[in-house]
Amino acid sequence: MRLLTHNMLSCNIKGVTNGFPLRIEAEKFMEKEVDFNIDFLKSIFSKIEWTALVEAAQSLGYNELPEEVVDSSSMLESSDFLKKFHHALLELHLEEGALICPETGRRFPVSKGIPNMLLHEDEV
Amino acid sequence: MKLKQLEGLLGNLEQISCPKIELEQYPTSAHIASRTLFSAENSFGDVSGKVVADFGCGCGTLGIAAALLDADYVVGVDIDAQSLEVALVNAEDMEVDLNLMQCDINNLKWRGQFIDTVIMNPPFGTRKKGADMNFLSMALKVATQAVYSLHKTSTRDHVKKMALRDCNATSAEVLCELRFDVPQLYKFHKKKVVDIAVDLWRFVPPKDQEGVVKTFSLPQ
């Protein structure tokens, strides 16, 4: 599971209002190289919840992202920043572990890189 | 990439070995998948450079087609773990990236308006009534630019009404009518192959979707 996917996911249990971001419990993670696509990075940047991305990357052992992006227009022109953004967003993979709901503590298992968001009957 | 080339590549994908009838798991043919994605890209520019979601992705045919036509990021959602395992293998064989997740489409909760285009070959609602409309409803909530979907031609008026009136779609257009070969997959299938007329639809979602975290789950 890439961190762009993680940045989209919220706990889907009925009634939960504070289900984002899901905390990552990493048992196995890896890095897979992906082609660098500047246009994509620039267009997706404004949709990213930055703190969630930084924390998620840290839970996968990557600490190079700035804690916050103050001047995004100039940061997006910095190739150094873009490379780090690219790496965190697209090249870090959670293979085995879990995503934990911040409100309920519910664990959503991740296996072979695929998060399982299926709910039990009483959660729907 | 040419249409024939795309169709050829998709024809090599592995299918689900033991399809589950209650989920209406039918393979999306290379013929249909290639034409769907080709139209989406060449007529409307909805694939290349976009974030695409394949709802009910099964073994990944539509999502892989999107990746082959240069979608920037493809997400595949399915309720069935076995299908997703096959999708994983198929994506690896095709050397494309599919970002898969296991989820019931009725309980999707995604933030951020990331998805430009939703593509899908949803269940027709023959086993679980209303399944096709649940998929359509969710797709029109999630997609920001376009939804491509296959529905039985016999349901054309119903689909149009549902999309425009109930889901507030900006537009609902049948792009073409296709023949969906249903092979003799299940015990109750009497014939070797049956042709079902399906419409390939393009829907434009309502404008100004809220960008906040919303509960997307549908009333039971």
Side-chain angles (χ1 to χ4, degrees):
Chain A
M1 186 197 69
R2 292 188 169 88
L3 296 188
L4 173 47
T5 304
H6 170 263
N7 210 260
M8 280 169 39
L9 288 179
S10 185
C11 174
N12 52 352
I13 295 176
K14 188 177 176 179
V16 167
T17 49
N18 259 348
F20 178 86
L22 297 164
R23 187 169 52 81
I24 292 180
E25 211 175 77
E27 279 162 44
K28 180 176 166 210
F29 58 90
M30 52 167 104
E31 292 180 10
K32 285 188 213 172
E33 218 177 289
V34 168
D35 286 344
F36 193 61
N37 184 340
I38 291 188
D39 290 335
F40 174 62
L41 293 171
K42 287 185 175 178
S43 72
I44 207 97
F45 175 79
S46 60
K47 299 180 186 178
I48 298 289
E49 216 297 314
W50 191 254
T51 307
L53 179 63
V54 173
E55 284 171 1
Q58 284 168 352
S59 64
L60 299 185
Y62 186 67
N63 302 303
E64 303 299 306
L65 290 179
E67 292 285 334
E68 53 174 4
V69 179
V70 183
D71 181 9
S72 57
S73 46
S74 78
M75 285 294 245
L76 289 173
E77 296 306 316
S78 151
S79 68
D80 181 66
F81 172 76
L82 285 172
K83 286 199 182 106
K84 290 175 178 168
F85 179 36
H86 166 83
H87 187 71
L89 195 69
L90 300 172
E91 295 188 326
L92 297 176
H93 271 275
L94 176 64
E95 282 289 306
E96 305 289 330
L99 304 173
I100 324 281
C101 171
E103 187 177 313
T104 63
R106 162 76 144 91
R107 293 178 89 255
F108 295 97
V110 178
S111 172
K112 296 183 188 165
I114 301 176
N116 180 347
M117 311 297 295
L118 291 181
L119 298 177
H120 308 131
E121 254 183 58
D122 59 342
E123 293 173 324
V124 171
Chain B
M1 186 178 295
K2 297 240 165 30
L3 177 60
K4 280 292 172 203
Q5 193 183 356
L6 179 62
E7 186 174 350
L9 286 171
L10 297 175
N12 289 328
L13 296 178
E14 208 181 299
Q15 302 300 329
I16 305 165
S17 53
C18 298
K20 300 180 176 78
I21 178 58
E22 70 274 13
L23 297 177
E24 287 190 57
Q25 291 182 330
Y26 292 98
T28 303
S29 67
H31 178 90
I32 289 187
S34 56
R35 274 152 186 77
T36 300
L37 272 299
F38 220 71
S39 304
E41 175 52 21
N42 288 351
S43 304
F44 300 98
D46 280 329
V47 182
S48 175
K50 305 290 181 187
V51 178
V52 177
D54 180 354
F55 278 7
C57 63
C59 56
T61 310
L62 291 173
I64 288 171
L68 290 171
L69 292 184
D70 299 319
D72 275 343
Y73 198 81
V74 182
V75 181
V77 187
D78 203 282
I79 199 171
D80 179 45
Q82 282 165 328
S83 308
L84 291 168
E85 300 241 347
V86 181
L88 212 57
V89 170
N90 280 333
E92 247 175 66
D93 286 346
M94 289 287 133
E95 294 181 349
V96 296
D97 288 317
L98 274 194
N99 299 283
L100 299 170
M101 73 174 74
Q102 186 177 9
C103 194
D104 183 329
I105 217 76
N106 298 313
N107 301 327
L108 224 52
K109 192 166 177 179
W110 290 355
R111 65 155 285 280
Q113 294 196 288
F114 285 100
I115 308 298
D116 296 312
T117 303
V118 171
I119 51 179
M120 59 189 193
N121 180 11
F124 286 156
T126 57
R127 308 305 290 192
K128 186 179 169 207
K129 196 165 180 248
D132 52 344
M133 295 308 155
N134 286 348
F135 267 74
L136 181 54
S137 178
M138 186 56 77
L140 285 169
K141 285 189 177 123
V142 169
T144 57
Q145 287 179 19
V147 174
Y148 292 85
S149 186
L150 294 157
H151 298 270
K152 286 196 288 190
T153 302
S154 58
T155 62
R156 187 179 291 183
D157 291 337
H158 176 61
V159 170
K160 188 157 203 153
K161 209 194 298 184
M162 228 258 73
L164 294 174
R165 191 193 61 190
D166 300 338
C167 304
N168 293 312
T170 305
S171 67
E173 201 191 325
V174 175
L175 298 183
C176 63
E177 198 179 301
L178 296 161
R179 313 301 292 184
F180 189 27
D181 307 320
V182 180
Q184 194 175 36
L185 273 180
Y186 297 114
K187 267 209 178 112
F188 69 89
H189 283 172
K190 295 191 180 64
K191 304 190 188 140
K192 271 216 152 50
V193 168
V194 153
D195 251 349
I196 296 185
V198 292
D199 292 333
L200 171 59
W201 286 86
R202 180 176 190 268
F203 304 95
V204 175
K207 297 266 176 273
D208 301 328
Q209 304 261 50
E210 285 161 41
V212 295
V213 177
K214 246 163 88 168
T215 306
F216 284 139
S217 52
L218 300 170
Q220 295 301 306

